[in-house]
Amino acid sequence: SILRRFAARNGIRIHASANVGNHLHLHVKLSNRHTYKAFIRAVTSAIAMAVTGASRWRKVVGAKRFWDYRPFSRIIVGRRALLTLRDYLF
């Protein structure tokens, strides 16, 4: 529901998603390239707050960093790359 909420807010269409346990795979279509930054920032923050129980006003005592790395993204060009992505997600 976090993904759907922020996708609707930022004008992003989610074609497929996969929760792999410790990371997510998303196939999204952006309305324009400037919406990605706001979307990924909001989604990563909302997921971290949902898992740790923290909020903007209530910090978790002794909390460590939730995410180890920045999100990795890649632009898919061509039908073959799209089919490879689809097979990988499913």
Side-chain angles (χ1 to χ4, degrees):
S1 76
I2 290 173
L3 288 174
R4 284 191 296 265
R5 183 174 69 217
F6 289 110
R9 186 179 296 172
N10 291 296
I12 292 175
R13 186 170 164 198
I14 299 176
H15 291 287
S17 65
N19 184 348
V20 190
N22 64 349
H23 64 281
L24 298 172
H25 292 277
L26 301 173
H27 175 200
V28 299
K29 183 172 183 176
L30 306 174
S31 56
N32 66 49
R33 65 187 180 116
H34 302 292
T35 59
Y36 174 75
K37 185 176 180 180
F39 170 72
I40 204 68
R41 180 181 290 163
V43 166
T44 54
S45 298
I47 290 172
M49 287 191 284
V51 171
T52 62
S55 72
R56 291 173 58 189
W57 300 277
R58 182 176 39 96
K59 305 294 181 193
V60 175
V61 178
K64 295 182 182 177
R65 290 178 45 132
F66 185 78
W67 300 107
D68 292 332
Y69 302 103
R70 283 197 254 156
F72 173 78
S73 61
R74 167 181 149 191
I75 297 172
I76 302 298
V77 178
R79 181 164 172 78
R80 185 173 183 164
L82 181 64
L83 294 175
T84 302
L85 172 67
R86 187 194 66 190
D87 292 343
Y88 183 75
L89 287 175
F90 293 121

